[in-house]
Amino acid sequence: MRLVDIDDVRAAAERISGRVVRTPLLPCPWADGELWLKPESLQPTGAFKLRGATNALALLPAEARAAGVVTHSSGNHGQALAYAARAAGVPCVVVTPEGAPEVKIEAMRRFGAELVTVPAREREEAAARVVAERGMVLVPPFDHRDVIAGQGTVGLEIAADLADVAVLLVPVGGGGLASGVTAAVSALSPRTRVIGVEPELAGDAAESIAAGRRIWWPPDRTRRTMADGLRVSLSDLTFAHLSARLDGVVTVTEDEIRSAMGRLAREARLVAEPSGAVAAAAYLAGRTPPGRTVAVVSGGNVDPEVLARTVRSA
């Protein structure tokens, strides 16, 4: 299996230039002077997913784009693909699992997606049915080389913007972001340790890396975490990337996620959804190696009531 490499990521960066926000790196003097944040929550769709969706859509042949695209997503990738598809005049269907956050459902509809809601276990099967019945093209949320290359532009920007990064913390759900980031950083800043972060209650990546084989956690198990964007497990493709390049995986508790959301809101003035706060949570909880650190805030699509409760209680 050929892994996505730095040339793939650089080509993706050229394709998506002007279509996504080149997010800044924000220093955090309120921490200890060693932490910077990469706020992908500032993307037009509120998450890093716009990078991969835009790159994958740009690479589709004209005939395939005319047929339309379909994906399965709890929200952030669905929003990203719907947004990119609308800009290109391409029909978009998103298969969403039951229980997906309403704030993300509303955003997908607002960006023009047609939604199909199914039980979480049936999301991939339902998307495959849409492909078979309607001739649309599947653009999965992470199990796709072009999506991974697009997400890797996050790492490309970090390497360009901050020298001597010791540790880079990346949320891990399906593993597309971490796969892309490691493709870029391993080539451009090989001394930087890239650490994946996931909730304890959806810790399949940590278990898989430790075991040396991909271990799948069912939706009934991962749904316990508030980090809805990280409830999916690795694919064979993303496991291959992470097992080859990732320097480790740490997990965080639900209380640590809530605390990080509160601190990001109060002290960094950033809205982070639970999935977007896990990398910062790992740093703030002291679960990561020392040194100059960048934590990716992967998304900010959180229900306002959930955010308000979290900020008050954290």
Side-chain angles (χ1 to χ4, degrees):
M1 180 186 298
R2 189 179 81 83
L3 303 184
V4 171
D5 61 25
I6 185 61
D7 291 334
D8 298 318
V9 177
R10 283 175 169 149
E14 292 183 8
R15 273 184 219 104
I16 69 176
S17 178
R19 302 183 187 184
V20 306
V21 173
R22 192 189 190 288
T23 54
L25 279 181
L26 305 178
C28 299
W30 50 270
D32 58 7
E34 293 280 16
L35 177 65
W36 279 256
L37 301 174
K38 178 71 168 171
E40 285 297 292
S41 51
L42 301 182
Q43 293 293 346
T45 58
F48 75 95
K49 294 282 191 176
L50 187 58
R51 296 171 180 268
T54 300
N55 187 54
L57 191 61
L59 285 167
L60 288 179
E63 183 178 345
R65 291 207 287 173
V69 292
V70 60
T71 195
H72 51 89
S73 169
S74 64
N76 284 344
H77 178 67
Q79 290 179 66
L81 189 62
Y83 182 95
R86 184 179 67 176
V90 174
C92 178
V93 173
V94 181
V95 176
T96 61
E98 294 173 348
E102 191 61 33
V103 66
K104 296 182 179 182
I105 296 292
E106 292 174 0
M108 286 187 279
R109 288 199 178 104
R110 187 168 64 250
F111 293 140
E114 174 189 340
L115 302 188
V116 177
T117 303
V118 299
R121 285 178 175 268
E122 300 175 15
R123 51 190 279 177
E124 294 185 34
E125 179 184 342
R129 282 199 302 271
V130 174
V131 171
E133 294 169 2
R134 299 172 58 171
M136 303 180 95
V137 177
L138 179 67
V139 181
F142 52 85
D143 191 26
H144 194 289
R145 289 179 52 82
D146 298 337
V147 171
I148 289 172
Q151 318 304 27
T153 59
V154 170
L156 202 68
E157 293 172 8
I158 292 170
D161 289 352
L162 188 64
D164 300 323
V165 175
V167 182
L168 174 51
L169 304 175
V170 187
V172 178
L177 175 60
S179 295
V181 166
T182 55
V185 174
S186 63
L188 299 175
S189 184
R191 289 187 294 179
T192 299
R193 298 182 64 185
V194 183
I195 307 292
V197 186
E198 60 184 351
E200 280 186 357
L201 298 182
D204 67 286
E207 186 175 352
S208 296
I209 295 298
R213 59 185 176 86
R214 186 171 74 88
I215 297 174
W216 180 73
W217 284 26
D220 290 347
R221 186 177 183 186
T222 60
R223 69 183 299 175
R224 298 172 300 161
T225 180
M226 66 189 297
D228 61 279
L230 305 181
R231 291 172 180 164
V232 292
S233 290
L234 303 177
S235 68
D236 289 339
L237 178 63
T238 57
F239 176 71
H241 282 79
L242 300 190
S243 60
R245 294 171 173 158
L246 199 65
D247 292 296
V249 182
V250 299
T251 61
V252 290
T253 68
E254 300 298 290
D255 285 345
E256 287 165 349
I257 295 171
R258 292 187 187 93
S259 177
M261 288 175 66
R263 292 196 69 182
L264 290 173
R266 292 191 304 271
E267 302 184 68
R269 279 62 172 180
L270 287 176
V271 171
E273 62 187 277
S275 305
V278 297
Y283 183 88
L284 295 172
R287 295 181 183 270
T288 61
R292 176 175 285 192
T293 300
V294 174
V296 178
V297 180
S298 56
N301 294 316
V302 59
D303 184 287
E305 292 185 6
V306 172
L307 179 66
R309 288 198 305 269
T310 302
V311 171
R312 283 198 300 266
S313 62

